[in-house]
Structures are given as structure tokens and as C-alpha cells.
Amino acid sequence: MESSHYYPENDIAVARGKGYNVIMTTSLSSDVPVGYFSWAEYDIMAPIQPKTEKALAAAFISNCGAHNFRLQALEQLQKLNVPVDSYGGCHRNRDGRGAIPVVVGAPNIQDYAPAPNAIIHIKTIAEIGLAAQTIKYLASNTTAYNERLRWKFEGPSDSFKALVDMAAVHSSCRLCIHLATQIQEKEEKGKDFTKHRPCKCKKGSETLYHLYVRERGRFEMQSVFIRSQNLTLKGLELAVLSKFRSLKHIPIWKTERPEVIRGSNKLKIYRIYPVGLTQRQALYTWKFHNDEDFKNFVQKNPCAKIEVIFV
């Protein structure tokens, strides 16, 4: 469950080299990510409780032998006169929970934050002093403190919802979807499925393209048709929304999210991407660059299969 940056044996490439065909780790680059997060397990949107403890910070550290500097950060904050209640297994002195996370984590940890400025990120040991100043400032400035927690009242960002919504489908079910998709792809490569499944048809100068689209977390595909004149990113979004609205589609996360952030029944697309990408690619690193990029993808991939994330 630890980062492969500090524990190379957890590296996905290493696992592939050992013969593993399907990788399930906490990394979003895994075939089937198994995260620490979910709406069901953690009361993320719980109302803020009045502060009752004198300490300015709370620590949750149970791996006292971690290869990063999280324990040193705790010790140095205490030396800089920042009172810290420790709730984990290391230097434990309290029971309970804190409010604004102070994180010693990966460089991209902000990708996992519920909103901008929702966490205090200590990137290096040299930044511990600055973190101490920030903690003391927030402890003395109610307005600044509440600003950091605004997402608790207004709801987290779409990127955070899209991340946590992934866990609305249990990892064992996502494993089944992954394996079934692989089996289906192998079967289709073994025969010319385009003879039995028309991927496009032409009438004069116009071409009608047949795409297959599914919501992330589901296996069943839906047929979506786009005319060549509408073969744009906007055209794709409109066609997908039209199809799923006609089905009165209910997002798979609807009953899992806290009621306060379920929103209306109006569908909203966060990401559209080819089936087969990792969740790291889908959420953070991959996108169709422009209309021409999408058009080339459709033309080079008959009956292209696409996945959509609703938020």
C-alpha cells in the first residue's frame, strides 16, 4: 500500500516483469486501482465540529518506519512550538480527528485535494518552518481558516468527486469489468466483427459513425451515432448526453455520494476517453487535444469504444 517511490517492489513495471497480467494497487496507474478513499467509508462531508482541543494541529501517522520524512515533520513542528495532538501509532497522545490536512506526500498531492488550498502541503524538510507559520496564522485568523474549509459548505471540486466516485463500484466488480473487456477485445480481434457490426455508413458526402459508449464502472455499452459534420468534441459531448438522457440514465455513484453533493438529475460530463486507459490517464494526463485529434481517433478505430465520467 506504500508508494513505489520509496518501496520499489511495489512498482507496477516490476510486477509486470514478475508475470502479473492484472495489477491492483493503490496507484491510479494500476489496471484496477484500489484506493484508500470512498464516500461510504469516510464521512468526508460531515459538518465541521467546533474546535475543543488546544493543539493547533493533529497528526495521523502509524507507519513509524516510513521512508519519507513525515515523522521528522511531526517532531520539527513540535519543536517550532506548534502544539500537535497525535492520533496515530507514532507519538500517540490523543483520540479523535482533525480538520485541515497537513500532508507530507507526493508532488501531485494537490490532484487529490477536495479543493484548492484545502490542504497544507509540505514538499521538503525545508518547508516545515513555513508550514508552522501557516498553521499558527490559520489558528489566529478565523476568516482564513474558514476559507480553507469552504468546500465543506459548497461541495468539493468536480475533479475530487470524479476521483472518489470511482470507489462507488467495488474493486472486485471493477476487476470483473476489466477482465470482461479484455476477453471481449480478444474475441473481436479474432474475427472481423465489422461485418456483423456496421461502424459507419455513407450517403453522398456525409458519413454516419457508430461509436460505443459506457459510463465508467459499467460494462454494458450504448450505441451513439455521430454525423461527419458533427465529428467534433462538442458534437461528441452532445451526442453522449442525448443518448444517456434518452435512457433516463442515473449515474452509478448517485446513491453512494453524500446527499448534500448528489446534485440534480441533470447529467454533467467530466471526462470522455478511450476504453483501456488507466484512471491516472483518464483523470489527469490524457485528453483529445482538439477536434482533429478526435476525428482521427474515430476514423482509425472502427466502432470506437469510449468511456465517460459523469459528475
Side-chain angles (χ1 to χ4, degrees):
M1 301 294 277
E2 294 286 351
S3 169
S4 60
H5 179 75
Y6 297 105
Y7 297 84
E9 63 271 20
N10 291 343
D11 186 79
I12 293 175
V14 172
R16 300 269 190 222
K18 291 181 178 179
Y20 291 100
N21 295 321
V22 180
I23 310 298
M24 296 177 67
T25 74
T26 54
S27 171
L28 291 177
S29 295
S30 301
D31 299 312
V32 183
V34 186
Y36 283 117
F37 47 80
S38 77
W39 299 117
E41 292 180 83
Y42 303 99
D43 200 1
I44 297 173
M45 296 305 297
I48 299 172
Q49 300 299 315
K51 181 174 172 57
T52 58
E53 302 294 336
K54 294 181 179 180
L56 301 186
F60 299 82
I61 304 173
S62 293
N63 181 1
C64 303
H67 291 189
N68 65 8
F69 61 93
R70 67 184 77 164
L71 199 57
Q72 293 95 310
L74 168 60
E75 294 167 348
Q76 286 197 34
L77 284 173
Q78 292 174 322
K79 290 179 181 178
L80 291 169
N81 297 318
V82 176
V84 180
D85 284 345
S86 180
Y87 297 91
C90 309
H91 300 315
R92 186 182 183 91
N93 60 18
R94 275 290 193 276
D95 294 304
R97 63 186 180 185
I100 298 176
V102 180
V103 183
V104 176
N108 65 337
I109 193 65
Q110 292 290 352
D111 290 342
Y112 301 85
N117 294 319
I119 67 174
I120 299 172
H121 184 198
I122 304 178
K123 304 182 186 68
T124 65
I125 292 178
E127 294 185 356
I128 296 175
L130 178 60
Q133 293 176 24
T134 302
I135 292 170
K136 292 176 181 178
Y137 170 72
L138 293 174
S140 63
N141 190 316
T142 303
T143 300
Y145 176 80
N146 289 335
E147 181 67 23
R148 294 264 185 165
L149 290 170
R150 180 188 290 184
W151 66 272
K152 279 279 194 174
F153 304 95
E154 299 179 355
S157 64
D158 283 349
S159 63
F160 186 76
K161 286 185 282 190
L163 172 66
V164 182
D165 284 343
M166 180 183 67
V169 179
H170 195 275
S171 56
S172 60
C173 297
R174 288 186 280 116
L175 173 61
C176 290
I177 293 171
H178 176 77
L179 294 174
T181 300
Q182 286 188 327
I183 292 170
Q184 186 180 64
E185 289 176 349
K186 288 180 180 179
E187 290 177 345
E188 291 177 347
K189 287 180 180 179
K191 56 185 177 182
D192 189 0
F193 71 93
T194 57
K195 291 182 178 179
H196 310 284
R197 185 190 302 172
C199 295
K200 65 179 180 179
C201 59
K202 299 192 68 172
K203 184 177 181 181
S205 60
E206 189 173 63
T207 301
L208 183 67
Y209 292 93
H210 184 186
L211 311 181
Y212 287 89
V213 183
R214 72 184 184 194
E215 183 187 10
R216 181 186 64 178
R218 300 183 190 271
F219 176 69
E220 182 182 4
M221 292 281 184
Q222 303 296 336
S223 291
V224 172
F225 299 92
I226 304 181
R227 299 182 183 278
S228 52
Q229 64 186 34
N230 298 323
L231 204 59
T232 63
L233 292 175
K234 187 63 177 178
L236 171 63
E237 182 175 324
L238 291 175
V240 169
L241 286 174
S242 177
K243 177 65 179 184
F244 282 86
R245 284 169 181 164
S246 71
L247 297 172
K248 294 181 170 55
H249 182 79
I250 299 176
I252 202 163
W253 45 258
K254 194 70 173 182
T255 59
E256 292 292 321
R257 271 194 203 171
E259 190 172 354
V260 293
I261 56 171
R262 288 179 190 170
S264 66
N265 292 325
K266 184 178 180 180
L267 293 175
K268 179 181 179 182
I269 293 174
Y270 179 69
R271 287 283 189 272
I272 299 182
Y273 53 92
V275 168
L277 296 188
T278 67
Q279 282 304 294
R280 183 176 302 283
Q281 292 171 316
L283 292 170
Y284 303 114
T285 66
W286 190 94
K287 67 177 181 179
F288 289 114
H289 296 292
N290 48 45
D291 292 341
E292 191 65 25
D293 190 23
F294 168 61
K295 182 178 180 180
N296 290 335
F297 168 77
V298 172
Q299 293 176 339
K300 292 178 180 178
N301 296 275
C303 289
K305 293 182 178 180
I306 292 174
E307 205 159 80
V308 58
I309 297 175
F310 295 112
V311 292

